[in-house]
Amino acid sequence: MAIYREPVSTNKILSKENYGIFALFIITAVVVYLLPKTISQAYFILLLLIFYQSKKSYFWIAFFFILVSQPAGFFTGSTASDMQRIPMYSFGKGFSFSFYDLFFMTSIVKAIFTPQPKYSYFFKSSLKVLVIYGIVLLINSFSLGMSLPSMILIGRTTFFPFLFFLIIPRFIPDYSHFIKLFRLLLPFIILSFIGQVYEISYGKYIISIFKSGPSTIASTGAALAEGSEDVSRVFDASFLNTFSLIVSGILLIRGDRNFKPLFLIVIIFLNFLICFTSATRGPFLTFSVIMFTIVIYIFFSSGWRLQYFRYFMFAFILLIVGKIALNSADVLNTQIERSSERFGTIEILFSGDASLKGENARTERRIPRLLKKFNESPIIGWGFSDEGIEYQDGHVGFHNMLREGGILEIAVFLLFFFQMISRMNKISKRPGILLSERNGFRLAIVSIFALMITHATSAQYFGYFVGFESNEKWVMLSLLFVGFSAFYHQTNLEINNRLTARYNENNNPVRGNGNPLTRRNRV
């Protein structure tokens, strides 16, 4: 077995592909906001054709994730009549597809003709159960009654994204492809941070410079510059930032040589600052748990010389960025103060919601409404039927899963996560694994539980029909879990290589010309 080599060059922070995706982003913005609708429609069809023919699927999937994440408000959705948006394609009266729908469909067709990769998800058995129960829910939904609009809705928000989740390993088949994809995404965190500051300061997305209308408004409570007493609750590119925080933390803990540690540290703090200034309590709890875990494990994963260097680097960057943020504008300073006050009322997550005029929305209205429907069909729920969708509520994830698939859906997803966590825990105990690799898996496990905080308190992450922002959630989870699989298989390979080299050194200390196995040949 060959000794492992790092798959990606680390000479530069940005690669040629980074410049390529920057250029593509700018060209796409010009097409969407400055050119006629017919040209825009033709342009996006051309992108689909290029993606279908491309051997670098990771590049186009990264670009797709950027589009659906909408950093700094670019490509934010609006009504179908809006001329400055990613186009819709109509096929008869009242029947249309978005570019996102067509991308999912193109991915599915491409996957059919793409060879099965050597490695796939490392939790296949529980994934099969997830698929089987999804089919059961769909059949039950038809029996309960599904109108054509409901079928179209489920197809666009559940069926196609879920198939994308199943086939993503064909496009990201190994660690090298995942690293290349992740490298393409990181610079857009900087754009997201700039967008967050702008959105808080002016209440509009940066794209409002080029267009006007409702789609440019970032938050009804964001116009602090005009003296509003509210706190702005805008979280720019939330799923891109969540994905970036988790993966950057794992790479930093592992001491991955594909990225400069300082660059990852900067990205991590930008992720956290964007979340903090959003004043969203559920995601803030999630980010805080992940951030705390990253800091703890960095010190346990590094040699003592790096421990103190990274510690002071973290503190230094935090102070500098914080100072700039506080002094950049009065409105931003106000937002930070009000965000801090809001996070001091975490208990409101469970007792009520200030955004709903202080009522106990979760405990007195949302949860009882869902549980009432759940009690009518507690085993298998109401699925995607018209009656079930009428009660859909993505603000309380676990209860909404009970409404959708009953007790069995909760059991199926718990089995899914149990196998994922147990497999990562098992490999972290293998002989030959490095402490940094073990702690990387521990962060991955912690991040799964941390996402459940947001899932339970703010926005549903898990389930089949996850409601609002379903495309963003499914793409993020697809890339996150295929990333976990890449880490899993790569670590397994490195352990095997490491043990093989150790075995050969112990049993065959002299090779070929009599030279002992040198240190540079060890993993």
Side-chain angles (χ1 to χ4, degrees):
M1 186 178 293
I3 299 298
Y4 166 73
R5 297 286 190 274
E6 288 286 355
V8 182
S9 172
T10 60
N11 293 331
K12 298 179 180 179
I13 292 178
L14 301 179
S15 65
K16 290 182 180 179
E17 290 181 341
N18 280 114
Y19 296 113
I21 205 167
F22 292 156
L24 184 62
F25 184 87
I26 293 171
I27 293 171
T28 303
V30 170
V31 169
V32 169
Y33 295 111
L34 300 180
L35 297 184
K37 180 180 178 180
T38 53
I39 295 179
S40 178
Q41 288 180 322
Y43 170 78
F44 280 93
I45 291 295
L46 178 62
L47 292 185
L48 291 175
L49 294 174
I50 296 173
F51 162 60
Y52 183 80
Q53 296 291 335
S54 176
K55 294 182 179 180
K56 296 183 176 181
S57 298
Y58 63 86
F59 178 92
W60 295 99
I61 291 174
F63 183 64
F64 180 65
F65 190 23
I66 292 166
L67 290 183
V68 298
S69 297
Q70 303 166 357
F74 280 90
F75 316 115
T76 302
S78 184
T79 60
S81 60
D82 189 348
M83 301 297 290
Q84 294 176 300
R85 58 158 294 158
I86 291 180
M88 300 284 291
Y89 299 87
S90 298
F91 300 90
K93 186 177 180 181
F95 191 72
S96 61
F97 289 104
S98 69
F99 168 74
Y100 303 133
D101 301 327
L102 297 178
F103 187 90
F104 285 134
M105 295 178 192
T106 305
S107 301
I108 294 166
V109 175
K110 183 175 181 176
I112 295 174
F113 300 99
T114 301
Q116 179 71 29
K118 182 178 180 181
Y119 301 111
S120 185
Y121 288 127
F122 61 93
F123 40 83
K124 283 186 177 180
S125 57
S126 61
L127 189 58
K128 291 178 182 177
V129 177
L130 209 64
V131 172
I132 292 172
Y133 191 67
I135 295 173
V136 171
L137 276 185
L138 185 61
I139 295 173
N140 184 53
S141 300
F142 280 118
S143 68
L144 292 173
M146 283 185 73
S147 62
L148 180 60
S150 294
M151 293 180 192
I152 295 174
L153 174 66
I154 295 303
R156 297 175 63 176
T157 61
T158 304
F159 182 71
F160 291 132
F162 186 67
L163 285 180
F164 180 79
F165 172 72
L166 296 177
I167 65 175
I168 190 71
R170 289 180 180 259
F171 305 128
I172 315 293
D174 54 37
Y175 184 76
S176 176
H177 284 79
F178 180 75
I179 290 296
K180 290 176 181 177
L181 177 143
F182 189 62
R183 184 187 293 275
L184 292 171
L185 297 174
L186 287 186
F188 287 90
I189 299 301
I190 299 173
L191 174 62
S192 176
F193 178 73
I194 295 171
Q196 180 79 0
V197 173
Y198 188 92
E199 290 152 22
I200 292 171
S201 300
Y202 299 102
K204 297 180 179 181
Y205 297 117
I206 287 180
I207 198 59
S208 63
I209 298 173
F210 305 101
K211 67 173 291 189
S212 59
S215 64
T216 65
I217 299 174
S219 172
T220 55
L224 299 179
E226 299 178 4
S228 171
E229 295 297 324
D230 296 327
V231 60
S232 171
R233 295 172 61 193
V234 56
F235 192 166
D236 190 277
S238 60
F239 300 105
L240 178 61
N241 278 282
T242 303
F243 175 76
S244 171
L245 176 69
I246 295 170
V247 177
S248 294
I250 293 173
L251 291 172
L252 189 63
I253 289 171
R254 287 170 61 95
D256 190 282
R257 290 174 286 170
N258 292 303
F259 297 92
K260 297 181 182 299
L262 179 58
F263 182 54
L264 291 177
I265 291 170
V266 170
I267 293 297
I268 288 170
F269 269 98
L270 289 180
N271 296 144
F272 188 77
L273 282 171
I274 292 170
C275 179
F276 178 82
T277 56
S278 73
T280 50
R281 286 179 291 240
F284 174 72
L285 283 175
T286 295
F287 273 53
S288 296
V289 170
I290 296 172
M291 188 74 169
F292 178 77
T293 306
I294 290 172
V295 173
I296 292 298
Y297 279 139
I298 279 177
F299 301 142
F300 287 105
S301 299
S302 312
W304 68 270
R305 294 179 182 177
L306 289 180
Q307 285 185 20
Y308 293 100
F309 169 77
R310 290 180 177 177
Y311 173 82
F312 286 117
M313 190 62 68
F314 261 81
F316 178 76
I317 292 175
L318 179 61
L319 289 173
I320 294 298
V321 174
K323 186 69 173 177
I324 293 174
L326 285 170
N327 295 335
S328 61
D330 290 339
V331 64
L332 190 58
N333 189 17
T334 300
Q335 172 68 8
I336 293 174
E337 290 178 356
R338 293 178 183 176
S339 295
S340 300
E341 294 172 359
R342 182 173 170 82
F343 295 137
T345 59
I346 294 295
E347 72 278 1
I348 293 178
L349 277 174
F350 308 98
S351 60
D353 192 337
S355 65
L356 294 174
K357 300 180 180 180
E359 67 177 339
N360 291 336
R362 288 178 177 83
T363 59
E364 293 186 3
R365 185 166 65 86
R366 294 182 183 274
I367 292 176
R369 181 172 179 267
L370 289 170
L371 290 181
K372 179 181 178 181
K373 201 63 184 174
F374 158 72
N375 289 332
E376 296 176 13
S377 180
I379 305 301
I380 197 172
W382 291 87
F384 318 119
S385 64
D386 293 341
E387 190 169 354
I389 291 178
E390 182 181 349
Y391 283 79
Q392 198 274 340
D393 190 337
H395 288 88
V396 277
F398 287 110
H399 298 85
N400 198 46
M401 290 173 69
L402 287 171
R403 187 273 314 161
E404 177 182 76
I407 296 173
L408 288 179
E409 179 168 326
I410 295 291
V412 165
F413 272 89
L414 287 178
L415 174 64
F416 172 74
F417 288 116
F418 176 78
Q419 187 190 24
M420 185 188 301
I421 291 170
S422 63
R423 292 293 298 274
M424 288 193 287
N425 184 59
K426 184 176 180 180
I427 195 175
S428 69
K429 296 179 180 179
R430 276 198 64 185
I433 192 170
L434 301 178
L435 179 61
S436 57
E437 295 168 340
R438 178 183 295 119
N439 287 339
F441 284 116
R442 287 172 176 170
L443 174 60
I445 292 172
V446 168
S447 69
I448 293 173
F449 287 107
L451 288 176
M452 290 182 183
I453 298 175
T454 300
H455 173 74
T457 60
S458 298
Q460 182 176 353
Y461 262 99
F462 311 115
Y464 295 98
F465 178 40
V466 293
F468 53 88
E469 299 178 320
S470 59
N471 287 341
E472 296 95 312
K473 292 173 185 176
W474 273 112
V475 174
M476 189 210 81
L477 292 176
S478 299
L479 294 180
L480 183 63
F481 292 156
V482 83
F484 287 173
S485 294
F487 291 132
Y488 180 91
H489 294 304
Q490 187 61 43
T491 302
N492 202 42
L493 174 63
E494 291 188 39
I495 292 173
N496 291 338
N497 287 339
R498 200 174 292 133
L499 294 177
T500 299
R502 192 177 301 169
Y503 174 84
N504 291 336
E505 182 178 4
N506 292 335
N507 293 275
N508 302 290
V510 177
R511 287 185 176 181
N513 58 8
N515 293 327
L517 186 65
T518 58
R519 180 172 296 274
R520 68 167 177 263
N521 290 326
R522 300 176 188 169
V523 177

Coordinates of all heavy atoms in Angstrom, one line a residue, residues 192-223:
S192 N -19.3 37.4 2.9 CA -20.5 37.3 3.8 C -20.3 38.2 5.0 O -21.3 38.9 5.4 CB -20.6 35.8 4.2 OG -21.7 35.7 5.2
F193 N -19.1 38.3 5.5 CA -18.9 39.2 6.6 C -19.1 40.7 6.2 O -19.8 41.5 7.0 CB -17.5 39.0 7.2 CG -17.1 39.9 8.3 CD1 -17.6 39.7 9.6 CD2 -16.3 41.0 8.1 CE1 -17.3 40.6 10.6 CE2 -15.9 41.9 9.2 CZ -16.5 41.6 10.4
I194 N -18.6 41.1 5.1 CA -18.8 42.4 4.6 C -20.3 42.7 4.4 O -20.8 43.7 4.8 CB -18.1 42.6 3.3 CG1 -16.6 42.5 3.5 CG2 -18.4 44.0 2.6 CD1 -15.7 42.5 2.2
G195 N -21.0 41.7 3.9 CA -22.4 41.8 3.7 C -23.2 41.9 5.0 O -24.1 42.7 5.1
Q196 N -22.8 41.2 6.0 CA -23.4 41.3 7.3 C -23.3 42.7 7.9 O -24.3 43.2 8.4 CB -22.8 40.3 8.3 CG -23.4 40.2 9.7 CD -24.7 39.5 9.7 OE1 -25.1 38.9 8.7 NE2 -25.2 39.4 10.9
V197 N -22.1 43.3 7.8 CA -21.9 44.6 8.3 C -22.8 45.6 7.6 O -23.4 46.5 8.2 CB -20.4 45.0 8.2 CG1 -20.2 46.5 8.6 CG2 -19.6 44.1 9.1
Y198 N -22.8 45.5 6.3 CA -23.6 46.4 5.4 C -25.1 46.2 5.7 O -25.8 47.2 5.9 CB -23.4 46.1 4.0 CG -24.0 47.1 3.0 CD1 -23.3 48.2 2.6 CD2 -25.3 46.9 2.5 CE1 -23.9 49.1 1.7 CE2 -25.9 47.8 1.7 CZ -25.2 48.9 1.3 OH -25.8 49.8 0.4
E199 N -25.6 45.0 5.9 CA -27.0 44.7 6.1 C -27.4 45.3 7.5 O -28.5 45.8 7.6 CB -27.2 43.2 6.0 CG -27.1 42.7 4.6 CD -26.7 41.2 4.6 OE1 -26.9 40.5 5.6 OE2 -26.1 40.8 3.5
I200 N -26.6 45.2 8.5 CA -26.9 45.7 9.8 C -26.9 47.2 9.7 O -27.8 47.9 10.3 CB -25.9 45.2 10.8 CG1 -26.1 43.7 11.1 CG2 -26.1 46.0 12.1 CD1 -25.0 43.1 11.9
S201 N -26.0 47.8 9.0 CA -25.8 49.3 9.0 C -27.0 50.0 8.2 O -27.4 51.0 8.6 CB -24.5 49.6 8.3 OG -23.4 49.1 9.1
Y202 N -27.4 49.3 7.1 CA -28.4 50.0 6.2 C -29.7 49.3 6.1 O -30.6 49.8 5.5 CB -27.7 50.2 4.8 CG -26.5 51.0 4.8 CD1 -25.2 50.4 4.8 CD2 -26.5 52.4 5.0 CE1 -24.1 51.2 4.8 CE2 -25.4 53.2 5.0 CZ -24.1 52.5 4.9 OH -23.0 53.3 5.0
G203 N -29.8 48.1 6.6 CA -31.1 47.4 6.5 C -31.3 46.8 5.1 O -32.4 46.3 4.9
K204 N -30.3 46.8 4.3 CA -30.5 46.3 2.9 C -29.3 45.5 2.6 O -28.2 45.6 3.1 CB -30.6 47.4 1.9 CG -31.9 48.3 2.1 CD -32.0 49.3 1.0 CE -33.3 50.2 1.2 NZ -33.4 51.2 0.2
Y205 N -29.4 44.6 1.6 CA -28.3 43.8 1.1 C -27.4 44.7 0.2 O -27.9 45.7 -0.4 CB -28.8 42.6 0.2 CG -29.6 41.6 1.0 CD1 -30.9 41.3 0.7 CD2 -29.0 40.9 2.1 CE1 -31.6 40.4 1.4 CE2 -29.7 40.0 2.8 CZ -31.0 39.7 2.5 OH -31.8 38.8 3.2
I206 N -26.2 44.3 0.0 CA -25.3 45.1 -0.8 C -25.8 45.2 -2.2 O -25.6 46.2 -2.9 CB -23.9 44.4 -0.8 CG1 -23.2 44.7 0.5 CG2 -23.0 45.0 -2.0 CD1 -21.8 44.1 0.6
I207 N -26.5 44.2 -2.6 CA -27.0 44.2 -4.0 C -28.0 45.3 -4.2 O -28.4 45.7 -5.4 CB -27.7 42.8 -4.3 CG1 -27.9 42.6 -5.8 CG2 -29.0 42.7 -3.6 CD1 -26.5 42.7 -6.6
S208 N -28.5 46.0 -3.2 CA -29.4 47.1 -3.3 C -28.7 48.3 -4.0 O -29.4 49.2 -4.5 CB -29.9 47.6 -1.9 OG -28.8 48.0 -1.1
I209 N -27.4 48.2 -4.2 CA -26.7 49.2 -4.9 C -27.1 49.1 -6.4 O -27.1 50.1 -7.1 CB -25.1 49.0 -4.8 CG1 -24.8 49.2 -3.3 CG2 -24.4 50.0 -5.6 CD1 -23.3 48.9 -3.0
F210 N -27.4 47.9 -6.8 CA -27.6 47.7 -8.3 C -29.1 47.5 -8.6 O -29.5 47.6 -9.7 CB -26.9 46.4 -8.7 CG -25.4 46.4 -8.5 CD1 -24.9 45.7 -7.4 CD2 -24.6 47.2 -9.3 CE1 -23.5 45.8 -7.1 CE2 -23.2 47.2 -9.0 CZ -22.7 46.5 -8.0
K211 N -29.9 47.2 -7.6 CA -31.4 47.0 -7.8 C -32.2 47.5 -6.6 O -31.6 47.7 -5.5 CB -31.7 45.5 -8.1 CG -31.5 44.6 -6.9 CD -32.0 43.2 -7.2 CE -33.5 43.1 -7.3 NZ -34.0 41.8 -7.4
S212 N -33.5 47.7 -6.8 CA -34.3 48.1 -5.7 C -35.5 47.1 -5.6 O -35.6 46.2 -6.4 CB -34.9 49.5 -6.0 OG -35.6 49.5 -7.3
G213 N -36.3 47.3 -4.6 CA -37.5 46.4 -4.4 C -37.4 45.6 -3.1 O -36.4 45.7 -2.4
P214 N -38.4 44.9 -2.8 CA -38.5 44.1 -1.5 C -37.4 43.1 -1.4 O -37.0 42.8 -0.2 CB -39.9 43.4 -1.6 CG -40.7 44.2 -2.6 CD -39.7 44.7 -3.6
S215 N -36.9 42.5 -2.4 CA -35.9 41.5 -2.3 C -34.5 42.0 -1.8 O -33.7 41.2 -1.5 CB -35.7 40.8 -3.7 OG -35.2 41.7 -4.6
T216 N -34.4 43.3 -1.8 CA -33.1 43.9 -1.3 C -33.1 44.2 0.2 O -32.1 44.6 0.8 CB -32.8 45.2 -2.1 OG1 -33.8 46.2 -1.8 CG2 -32.7 44.9 -3.6
I217 N -34.3 44.1 0.9 CA -34.4 44.4 2.3 C -33.9 43.2 3.1 O -34.5 42.1 3.0 CB -35.9 44.8 2.6 CG1 -36.3 46.0 1.8 CG2 -36.0 45.0 4.1 CD1 -37.8 46.3 2.0
A218 N -33.0 43.5 3.9 CA -32.3 42.4 4.7 C -33.2 42.0 5.9 O -33.2 40.8 6.3 CB -30.9 42.8 5.1
S219 N -33.7 42.9 6.6 CA -34.5 42.6 7.8 C -35.4 43.8 8.2 O -35.0 44.9 8.0 CB -33.5 42.3 9.0 OG -34.3 42.2 10.2
T220 N -36.6 43.5 8.6 CA -37.5 44.6 9.0 C -37.0 45.3 10.2 O -37.4 46.4 10.5 CB -38.9 44.0 9.3 OG1 -38.8 43.0 10.3 CG2 -39.5 43.4 8.1
G221 N -36.1 44.7 11.0 CA -35.6 45.3 12.2 C -34.2 45.8 12.0 O -33.4 46.0 13.0
A222 N -33.7 45.9 10.7 CA -32.3 46.1 10.5 C -32.0 47.6 10.3 O -30.8 48.0 10.3 CB -31.9 45.4 9.2
A223 N -32.9 48.5 10.2 CA -32.6 49.9 9.9 C -32.3 50.6 11.2 O -32.9 51.6 11.5 CB -33.8 50.5 9.2

